Amino acid sequence: MSSRLIAASDDPIRPKDSAVISISVDGETVTGLAGQTIAGVLLASGRPSWRRTSGDGSPRGVFCGIGVCFDCIVTVNGDRDVRACQRRAADGDQIRSQHDALPNAGVPR
Amino acid sequence: MVVIGAGVVGAACARSLTLAGLTVVVVERGAAASGTTASGEGNLLVSDKGPGDELRLAQYCAALWPGIAEATASELGPGFPSIEYDPKGGLVVATTDAGAVPLLEFAAAQRGAGVDARPIEVGQALQLEPELNPGITAAVHYPQDAQVQPVAAAEAFLAVARRRGAKVRTGTTVTGALRGSDGALVGVRTDRGDVHCGTVVLAAGPWSAAVAAVLGVLLPVRPRRGVVLVTTRMPHRIFHKVYDADYVGAVESSDADLQTSSVVESTAAGTVLIGSSRQQIGFDDRLRVEVIEELAAKAIRLFPFLAGASIMRTYGGFRPYMADHLPVIGADHRLPGLFHATGHEGAGIGLSVGTAELITAMITGAPSPIDASAFSTDRAGLRGLLGDGLLGDAMPVNS
Amino acid sequence: MTAQSPRVLVVGAGPAGLAAAAAAVGAGAQVTLLDAADQLGGQYWRHLPEARPSVKEAVLHHGWQHFVSLRKGLEGDRRCEIVTSAQVWAIEQHDDRVAVQVLIGPPDGRDRARRSIVPDALVLATGAHDRTLPFPGWQLPGVYSGGAAQALAKGERVAVGQRVVVAGAGPFLLPVAASLAQTGATVLGVFEASRLRRLAGGWLPRPWRLLGAGKKLGELAGYAKRQVWQRIPYRTGFGVIAAHGGDRVEAVTVARLDANWSPIPGTERRIAVDAVCVSHGFTPRLELAVAAGCALDADGFVEVDAAGMTSAPGVYAAGEITAIGGADAALAQGAVAGHCAAGGLPGDRTIAAAVRARATYSEFAARLDKAHGITPGWVDWLQDQTLICRCEEVTNAQLRGAAELTSSAGLRSLKLNTRAGLGICQGRMCGRSVHEILTRCSEGPLVNAATDRRPIASPVRMGELAAAFHQRETEHQERNSSS
């Protein structure tokens, strides 16, 4: 666990207190602060990655951090492909990590 | 011989001609497979064609594709990009009460012409496509419909031709005709030098009209714009080529205004392709949001879950449109040495392989695999559209 | 608003867009300012959200007071409408104007409000994002772009790691290292790819020409001071050439680079890290400019004239999409473009200072490129299995193999055959790298190399598109039934 939230007490810019929110990530409850992005909440909880790629299933998390690379996409309340680094977390959000397998054989003909 | 155009039709011609032992130079203004071919969905359809000459050509092609796909893959090896030939079958559905009877009648007529067109109950359709709107009013399953990745197919055909000595000159523009003393075409002038040959096959899709004019003949092929939407990758939920029966009406229509009808299918990459629109606006390729919105709305009518899918890309292209809805395949009766292979509108990917076989048979004098007289330049449907003979004297360039 | 006041639409609320909006209002226009984020400031002035305000935000920023005053001026002005969370997803070209299509709501939402704006003049100030060259292991979690580290530090107060290496090229590495240090991380080193001689060649000649760029020099000196203070090793002529780890980065290999950025064998050194931040420069965010029909220059930036106008009628551009020159250049360009978009002239006295500043900072962009611009030796640190396209997981070997087997010079064909650049980021991350790799293994120039053409500028839900169609149908029926 190396990514983390800077403790407000140590922070030279002195963020004011904000409300605690809680979201569900693949069924697990994760708490964060109002105003954090989903990526911010996940990274602050020590998660370095959440998506798995379609090709070799390798893990991905935040890469560009500004909404350009789409590596960090998650499903939010049923909506797929939401950039976690862009969407603010809302209390009660249901987050599911994405692992979209490529189409395979054995489909109805 | 010279093939003008390295799209899928030109590439298929180069492949067939070299397999027949002929020497081929392909001349392409841009890059290989960069025009209409790069903008297509890769439809190999019999389902959208009523009884007649085009259907016979499509059936001939449907029979050719599995063998060609296999031979091409085994010749080029596993390192070569797959052409992704997939005989996934088509599912055509009616979404209105009024549309049900015409669809079933159309399928019955196709069965009379030898098409495997199976009317199925809505429940059976939902077994084939579980996400389909259960409110559909009729469905016909077409097991003979298939799909390829058109750019890979064109590149594969060119690679096969190159292995047999063909030269592919991209970035080369045809600027004039080389004529013999008898007036026959004996080569082409390009911006990179002259190319001498016995025969010229013009396979420049919607740009064939402009190239034909450079060579000295009028060819009434016109661009008809089409737009395809591409979703982001998603779990595999669409298994066939699924389209709304009103697609057939749009294909057969000659209306210049925007027409859309829904064609939906998955790709091997996990994206979903959504077509299709038809609009005659010349070579105007500017984005029009209304077209995209209409395509999305109609696709959701087939697959309601798509409302939550994201469109990440759209691309447009120009189909080579003929007023009588038939391709032009064969010798130009006005200019000896010139053959045409264009005008397939939205069916050129599927019809490319059969077109190439017909052209090759005509050039080598082999028996034609199917009757191709309906595709000739002197057919009744083109009467009055070809001008009177050759264009002005200034055009031809003596060799 | 009078009937005569032109309607100016500004897209992007970073330094360039804010300055453009302020200047356009000042010149008498009715302005609409859009940004995809839910706060103003862009990446440069990214800050904590309203839900969690900071008492001393200025500590993290240069020119924070300038931002605050720009924001306050625009928010308090009735002639300026500010729309945040506004994603421009497409621009339609019509014969003499453009129609800008906007979705307003949460990023990647489902039922965002639609708006179509046809302004008298459009100012594009969409900025740039980091360009990170591919290297083995760059897809591992814990490898970030420099911009990500900055954004997470400034916008979230999240530290990406405890033991961090910063690498790449350009002065931007310094603020990245500084803000990492301010999160409490140990910055093990800043590795600048360009060698000292080249840096000197770019930055030292004719230094008097930079005298006017005092703020820029001060900004860089400020970073340097902090860097010395923090005792962060700064090495030139070095690069991170591989990242290692299983499910996340655990170490990087750093090597000495030659003048061409090609790694020198035998100089590799492994450093244990839990995060690495890599940026080799910036890529302009061009999709809207391309959609609007703006011509690009030879370096791939939007071409503008003295008024900031592009080749597209009524479309202006400012900031990093016209050149990578930093925030001060962007402010100056924005002021000129906004003023002229509102009907003013580049010679007007009200913007004389901005015109002078723009000239001064344009020098900066050229020097930046001379000192830090990407050189082709980087491809030598690629291995066969190195991912080039992160989205579609296309490797270097696959890309080169397709190019060799098809002998095709068509970039579009190669992309369709390998899927490089066809994933959800639409080639934003790999586009230019793919182009450079393929150029090296093809005989001539690539044809149809339209890397920055993305007609759909941001993914849009089909339901949102369909809603627009149904609304139009309903209106059509109502019109018919009432007539």
Side-chain angles (χ1 to χ4, degrees), chain B residues 38 155 233 289 293 307 311, chain C residues 92 392 412-413 460 462-463 472:
Chain B
E155 290 282 8
R233 171 178 294 137
V289 164
E293 290 167 346
I311 298 298
Chain C
E92 285 179 320
E392 298 298 297
R412 184 169 163 76
S413 162
V460 46
M462 288 178 64
R472 221 170 33 243

Side-chain angles (χ1 to χ4, degrees), chain C residues 267-284:
Chain C
T267 63
E268 298 87 354
R269 180 160 61 98
R270 203 174 161 109
I271 303 175
V273 297
D274 57 10
V276 52
C277 304
V278 187
S279 289
H280 297 93
F282 292 92
T283 302

Side-chain angles (χ1 to χ4, degrees), chain B residues 29-35 37-39 76 79-82 84 149 151-153 155 159 162 170-171 229 231-233 267 269 271 274 285-300 305-315, chain C residues 89-95 101 108 110 114 291 391-393 401-402 404-414 416-419 421-426 447-448 453-470 472-473:
Chain B
R29 178 186 59 172
S34 64
T37 300
S39 315
L76 298 175
F80 201 92
S82 168
E84 296 174 15
Q149 205 272 63
V151 170
E155 290 282 8
R162 275 199 312 269
T170 54
L229 312 183
T231 71
T232 56
R233 171 178 294 137
T267 70
T271 60
I274 292 157
D285 67 350
R286 293 178 294 182
L287 174 90
R288 286 293 174 262
V289 164
E290 283 187 4
V291 176
I292 295 172
E293 290 167 346
E294 194 167 320
L295 286 171
K298 291 193 174 179
I300 292 169
F305 87 91
L306 286 176
S310 294
I311 298 298
M312 64 173 179
R313 181 166 73 244
T314 172
Y315 55 88
Chain C
W89 66 273
I91 292 182
E92 285 179 320
Q93 292 176 43
H94 294 276
D95 290 338
Q101 308 295 342
D108 305 322
R110 175 183 272 267
R114 292 184 308 279
C391 299
E392 298 298 297
E393 299 167 83
E404 281 153 17
L405 283 168
T406 57
S407 326
S408 171
L411 183 62
R412 184 169 163 76
S413 162
L414 287 166
L416 282 165
N417 278 333
T418 59
R419 294 204 52 77
L422 296 186
I424 187 169
C425 97
Q426 289 289 286
V447 184
N448 292 1
R453 189 177 151 86
R454 298 179 193 95
I456 306 282
S458 178
V460 46
R461 305 260 174 212
M462 288 178 64
E464 294 174 323
L465 296 169
F469 171 76
H470 293 305
R472 221 170 33 243
E473 292 283 285

